[in-house]
Amino acid sequence: MTQIEEIERFVKPFYSKKDFMHDLSHIRRMLKAAFFLSKKYRVDDEIIIYGTYFHGIVHEKKSEIVDFLKSKGFSEEKIKRILQAAQSSRTRLKVFEKPKPRTIEDKILHDAHLIEGGETFLIVKSLITGTLRGQTLKETVDYMENNIIGKFKCYLPEAQKIYEKKEKFAKDFLEKLKKNL
């Protein structure tokens, strides 16, 4: 069994309870973006991989994650770095709960979460998530304008360019959509 298969076997029960915009497909998109961003940096691939897989469960399943990592022989320091990277990747936590990304791995995971799925994905994910939450289209548009567009920043220059395009696409899309609501 590969490292990825082993991690996925561990996290699968936790992600199976999440909606389809936040399940393992979300993690795989993030991992793809993280590998893309990490190409030009010296990084610890294990922190990137494990941090990404624990991104959506790090707060609810922290003790299980720590036990899993200990069973794999990781040092306390490595476990701490993996947990920090996973926590740094979250965008919706309250400021006092979310550590500011410090290491290159933290910044890569944070930015990978924002750029996942490409230019159109901010719209797609928001519309689907709003529907899953029972919001009307207008409520989802309002939520996006008040809580998403212009609220996040990437740390890495290459991610900043990608996210700026993504936000511009979303703004233009929402302006056109609102004219017809």
Side-chain angles (χ1 to χ4, degrees):
M1 180 180 316
T2 69
Q3 181 185 45
I4 298 288
E5 290 170 335
E6 191 173 21
I7 298 167
E8 284 201 6
R9 182 189 291 178
F10 170 71
V11 300
K12 188 174 185 175
F14 306 127
Y15 284 105
S16 67
K17 297 173 178 88
K18 295 189 177 278
D19 68 67
F20 70 94
M21 294 310 294
H22 297 93
D23 62 7
L24 274 174
S25 64
H26 166 56
I27 299 307
R28 291 178 189 126
R29 284 187 302 273
M30 274 186 64
L31 190 59
K32 181 179 178 182
F35 281 143
F36 168 77
L37 292 174
S38 69
K39 281 189 231 176
K40 68 182 255 187
Y41 300 96
R42 293 186 86 183
V43 299
D44 184 324
D45 286 339
E46 287 183 321
I47 292 173
I48 297 291
I49 293 166
Y50 284 91
T52 300
Y53 273 96
F54 299 149
H55 154 81
I57 61 172
V58 67
H59 289 286
E60 306 88 29
K61 303 297 179 187
K62 187 175 180 177
S63 64
E64 291 96 326
I65 291 169
V66 169
D67 290 344
F68 175 75
L69 293 172
K70 284 181 179 176
S71 78
K72 300 294 155 216
F74 286 103
S75 69
E76 293 293 326
E77 179 59 27
K78 183 88 161 217
I79 292 170
K80 180 180 166 192
R81 290 183 63 206
I82 289 169
L83 293 174
Q84 178 181 310
Q87 291 168 332
S88 295
S89 68
R90 304 286 304 261
T91 54
R92 281 276 152 227
L93 296 178
K94 295 175 185 162
V95 174
F96 64 86
E97 294 174 341
K98 182 178 180 248
K100 183 175 179 164
R102 292 189 309 244
T103 68
I104 189 63
E105 292 88 358
D106 296 354
K107 291 173 184 177
I108 286 170
L109 291 191
H110 174 275
D111 290 0
H113 186 212
L114 290 174
I115 69 166
E116 77 157 307
E119 187 176 271
T120 62
F121 203 69
L122 185 58
I123 290 291
V124 171
K125 187 173 184 178
S126 297
L127 292 175
I128 291 171
T129 302
T131 300
L132 292 171
R133 291 181 180 149
Q135 294 173 326
T136 66
L137 181 56
K138 183 178 181 331
E139 289 170 332
T140 299
V141 169
D142 289 346
Y143 182 85
M144 289 179 68
E145 290 182 325
N146 295 320
N147 299 286
I148 297 175
I149 306 296
K151 303 296 183 194
F152 301 104
K153 177 182 174 281
C154 289
Y155 290 91
L156 304 173
E158 56 275 27
Q160 288 170 359
K161 290 175 187 170
I162 294 167
Y163 194 66
E164 284 171 12
K165 281 180 157 178
K166 195 173 188 174
E167 277 201 325
K168 181 177 181 345
F169 179 89
K171 279 181 178 176
D172 293 346
F173 182 96
L174 291 176
E175 285 305 313
K176 291 174 186 173
L177 179 64
K178 285 185 343 185
K179 288 178 183 176
N180 295 300
L181 285 182

